[in-house]
Amino acid sequence: MNTVFNHSAMLQGLVKMDEEESLERAIDEEVVILPYDAKWQRIFEEERDRLLHLFPGDFLAVEHFGSTAVPGLAAKPVIDILAGVDSMSRADELMEPLCRASYATSMEFNASLVGRRWLMRWAEGRRTHHLHLMVYGSREWDQRLAFRNILRTHPELAQRYEKNKRLWATEFRLDREAYTAAKAGFILQALKNAA
């Protein structure tokens, strides 16, 4: 990720050095897998409620997905949130308001995405939330929730996934995009097997 868009900092015309340093550290944060933490669900619920309060009527659904949404599964301690919108143009309209609501994003990274937009929250030099805007009910939306549900109902598959994630996290410790790409084959195979 190259250029990070932090609208509130732009509006103020000044970024506190500690906030900027915190954001830079979060952008370059290593991939680390931690044991499951039951508070992840509460953290999701708090952020979901905050988003629904700040953006009433803008999201058709807000879901917790990714490994932190699977009880017992070790994960990067970043809450993945799926927010459903009625169109990608609506997602684009929400980018600046979301950045004013404590999110940051990479314009270059989002330009490379098809069918979704990505933002993150951070604190104390580490990522805390990833927000993925997608068209509600799209194929991409359904696949992400289907994979979450497969892991929730198939503990043996979840354990295999965790074992592989630990290997990928070691191999791609300093390359989050490579880590994410490494998971893609496992996810596609799990979805195919479940169909």
Side-chain angles (χ1 to χ4, degrees):
M1 276 178 267
N2 298 333
T3 302
V4 173
F5 181 66
N6 181 346
H7 195 271
S8 62
M10 283 179 34
L11 286 178
Q12 295 169 2
L14 176 61
V15 178
K16 294 178 189 170
M17 195 56 162
D18 57 271
E19 182 179 346
E20 185 175 332
E21 288 172 349
S22 177
L23 177 57
E24 290 303 317
R25 278 197 305 260
I27 290 168
D28 296 326
E29 183 181 17
E30 294 180 10
V31 176
V32 176
I33 305 295
L34 297 180
Y36 178 75
D37 189 331
K39 73 180 176 189
W40 289 339
Q41 181 62 30
R42 178 186 48 77
I43 294 169
F44 160 73
E45 291 168 359
E46 289 171 357
E47 185 62 9
R48 176 199 60 205
D49 294 348
R50 188 181 84 89
L51 288 169
L52 292 173
H53 173 76
L54 291 173
F55 300 94
D58 286 316
F59 300 121
L60 302 175
V62 178
E63 294 278 347
H64 188 191
F65 80 113
S67 296
T68 61
V70 180
L73 185 61
K76 296 187 316 295
V78 179
I79 307 303
D80 279 304
I81 301 171
L82 191 59
V85 293
D86 59 7
S87 67
M88 288 311 298
S89 61
R90 184 66 189 127
D92 290 335
E93 291 168 5
L94 287 167
M95 296 296 281
E96 279 193 45
L98 284 162
C99 286
R100 288 191 301 267
S102 301
Y103 278 90
T105 195
S106 163
M107 302 311 264
E108 288 87 352
F109 182 65
N110 278 302
S112 73
L113 301 176
V114 177
R116 73 181 172 105
R117 297 294 177 262
W118 174 90
L119 302 101
M120 77 168 185
R121 286 191 75 186
W122 78 98
E124 299 173 11
R126 69 170 202 83
R127 297 166 187 234
T128 58
H129 302 74
H130 286 169
L131 178 62
H132 306 259
L133 305 181
M134 288 188 179
V135 174
Y136 176 76
S138 66
R139 182 173 181 262
E140 294 84 2
W141 173 276
D142 291 342
Q143 283 182 333
R144 280 163 177 77
L145 295 182
F147 184 62
R148 176 200 67 189
N149 295 340
I150 290 166
L151 292 178
R152 284 178 172 176
T153 58
H154 294 85
E156 69 289 342
L157 182 66
Q159 290 309 308
R160 254 191 3 254
Y161 185 51
E162 179 179 315
K163 180 179 177 185
N164 283 318
K165 286 192 330 161
R166 289 183 184 281
L167 293 171
W168 297 321
T170 300
E171 184 176 355
F172 303 114
R173 182 175 58 90
L174 300 175
D175 189 343
R176 283 179 168 268
E177 270 111 35
Y179 169 80
T180 300
K183 296 187 301 182
F186 187 100
I187 293 168
L188 289 174
Q189 190 60 50
L191 290 169
K192 181 179 175 185
N193 291 344

